[in-house]
Amino acid sequence: MSVLAGLRVLVVEDEYLLARQLERALQRDGADVVAVAPSVAAALAALAAGALPDVAVLDLNLAGEKAYPVAAALRAAAVPFAFASGYDAADRDPPFADAPHLNKPLTMATLRTCLARLTGRTPG
Amino acid sequence: MHVPDPPVPAVTTLGDFDWASTPLGAPDRWSPALRAAVAESLAGAAPAHPPAPSAAAALDALFDAAPLGLGIWDRELRFVRVNASLAQMNGLPPEAHIGFTPRELLPDIAGIDALMGRWRAIIDTGEPWLDVEVHGGTPANSDKQRSWREHFFPIRNGDQVVGIGAVVEETTERDRVEAALRASEARFREFAEASSDVLWLFDIDSARFAYLSPALRKLYGIGVASGRGAPLSFDWQTAIIAEDRELAATTLRRVRQGERVTHDFRARIPGSGKVRWLKNTAFPLRAPDGRVSHIGGIAQDVTEERDAAARLQMLIGELQHRTRNLMGVIQAVAESTLEASTDLTDFERAFSARLDALSRVQQLLSRIEGLERVGFDQLLRSELAAFGALPDDDSRVSLAGPRGVPLRSGGIQTLALALHELITNSVKYGALSQPGATLSVRWALLPVAAGERARLRFDWEERGVAMPARGDSPERVGQGRELIERAVPYQLEATVDYALTADGVRCAMVLPVSQTLVRGAAA
C-alpha cells in the first residue's frame, strides 16, 4: 500500500503534458487527483466547486502568472501545499518563502516524500 | 684657560654710596669689569656698550643686503644707485648702472618706452606708482621671459622731486607656479565639466560643496554655480530617497574617518520625480595637518546598468525556467510515446518527430526578443515546412490568413505539438498521403467586443481523402488526438472541434492570442 493511497491531491500546472504526467504518476501511487488546473482562476474555481483536497502541488509560474493567490487560498483553508518550479526557491515571495519547494523536472520519489511529510503520513 | 681681565681704570672712588649694604657687597670684592662699569657710570663717562650705527650707515647696510631689488634714479631717470639684488636681476654689476637709464640698460623690458614715460610722470607729479607688473628679459638671460612686481615712488628734497626710488621683487617663479597651477586647475575643471559623472568636493568645515560638476544639472535638472566663491548649497540629503539617507550619512561618517567608500543609493529627480540609481565613490582629502578637511566624490548614474543587470537576471531566470520545463515536457513526451509504441524502432521514429517539433518551436522562440511574440503563421509554416507541405512545395495545400497574429507565449509548445500531430496524421493517413486530396488551412482574427480578448479562429480542412478503415497504430493516433483535443483546450483556453468526416479530417480551433504585436506583422 502506497503512502499516498487515498490522498486527495490538487495539481496546479499549466503545461498539459506535465500536468497529465503528474496526474498519472499520482494515480499510479494510489492518490486521488481531485482536480488538475492550468491557471489561478481554474484552481480557485476547482477549490470553490469541490471538497477541499488534503494537499496540493502548485507550479509557481502559470503561463506568466504566479500561483500565489492559490497558495493564499490553500493556506487560509489550512491545506498544505508544495511549490514546483524551474526557478530557484530564493525567487519566491516572502509570505511563501517557507513553503516546500520542488525543483522541476519533478521526480516521483521526492514528490512522494514531500507530500507524505506535508500530510503527516509516514513514508513506507 | 685663563683669560686676563681687561685693563681697569683705577677706582679711586665709588661715590658716597654705601655699596656694602647692597646685595652687591663691598666694591673691592667686585669683579674688575663691574667696578669699571660702575665707575664709568658714576663718572658720566661713555657707556660700556659699542656705539650705535649712524642712521645713514644703517640704511646703507639695509639697502645693500635687502633681498629685494632697490634702485634710485635721478630726475633724468639715470641710475644713481643700485643694490646687489637689483644688479643681479639686471645681469650687470652695480657700478655699470650708474649714469644710464633703464631704457639704455634694459631694452628688452616689455614696453620700456611707455614705462619711461610713466616714470617721468612721477617726477612731474610727485605721485607714486605702486604694484606694477613688469615683464621682459634682462642682460642676465635675455632670452628668458621674467616678471617682477615693482613700486616706484618719488624722492623729494624739500618740495622738489629729485629722483625716483624703485622697489623690485622678482615674481617669475611664483608666476610660473601660479600659471601652472591655474592650468592644472583649468585642465581638471575641463575634465570634471566634460564628465558625465557628477564630481563633487565637500568642505567639511563650512558644510557646503566647494565644487559640483555640471553633470549634476543633467542628472537633477538643476543648475549649480560652479564659479569660485559661489556658495554651493545643494541639498543632497533631500535628493536621496528616505530609505537610503542613513546609508549615505554613514558613508560620509566613514569617509570623514579616513576611509574610501563606494556605495549605491537612489535619488529622486526633482521635477520628474523619477528615482535614479547612483553609484557614489567618496574619498577623504586631508589638510596639511593631516585632518580630513574635504570629501571628494564621483557619482555615476547607474540606473540603466542596474536595469540591464536586472533584465539579464530575469532572462536567466526565464531561461532556466523554460529549460527545466522543457526537460519535463521531453520526459513526458518520451513516456507517452513509449506507451504507444510497438517496438523501439517505432518509438524512435515517433519520438524523434515530436522532439523535432519541439526543437522547431524553440528555434522560433529563441529568435524573438523581449516582448515580441511568435506569429501563428510562423508556427504553422515552420511545421508544414518540416514535412515539405508548404503550398510552394505541395500543390494540394492551400493557406489563407493574416500574417503575424501574435500567439501568447504560454502554450506555444503544446500548440506546435498539436499542429505537428495534425500534419503527421495527414502525411500518414490523410490528405498529404493521397494524390487526389486537398488540405486547406484558413485562419482569421475574430471580431473583438470591448473588454474581450483577441481570439484567432483556425480551420484545418482535408477533402477528397479516402479514409482508412483504421490506422495502423490507433494508440498513436489517440495520443495525437489527445494533444489536439485535450492539451490545447487545457493549456491555451481554446475550444477545439475535431472530426473525422468521410471526406477527411476537419479541425476548428478558437484560441485567445496576445495583444502584443509581432515584428514585421502586416495583419
Side-chain angles (χ1 to χ4, degrees), chain B residues 5 45 96 144 152 236 243 246 257 270 369 375 382 415 455 502:
Chain B
D5 290 331
K144 184 185 170 196
F152 307 99
W236 61 273
E243 296 99 299
E246 182 51 40
Q257 282 154 23
E369 285 171 22
S382 133
L415 185 60
R455 286 179 306 158

Side-chain angles (χ1 to χ4, degrees), chain B residues 27-38:
Chain B
D28 56 355
R29 299 178 59 186
W30 295 357
S31 75
L34 180 61
R35 272 200 306 274
V38 172

Side-chain angles (χ1 to χ4, degrees), chain B residues 244-260:
Chain B
D244 291 354
R245 260 174 231 162
E246 182 51 40
L247 175 67
T250 308
T251 298
L252 283 191
R253 272 197 299 276
R254 286 168 59 191
V255 177
R256 285 179 74 153
Q257 282 154 23
E259 219 180 314
R260 180 193 175 95

Side-chain angles (χ1 to χ4, degrees), chain B residues 188-199:
Chain B
F188 162 76
R189 202 166 276 264
E190 275 176 46
F191 267 119
E193 314 218 330
S195 169
S196 58
D197 296 347
V198 177
L199 277 66

Side-chain angles (χ1 to χ4, degrees), chain B residues 6-11 13-14 27 30-43 45-48:
Chain B
V8 174
V11 179
T13 174
L14 284 172
W30 295 357
S31 75
L34 180 61
R35 272 200 306 274
V38 172
E40 262 179 62
S41 165
L42 291 173

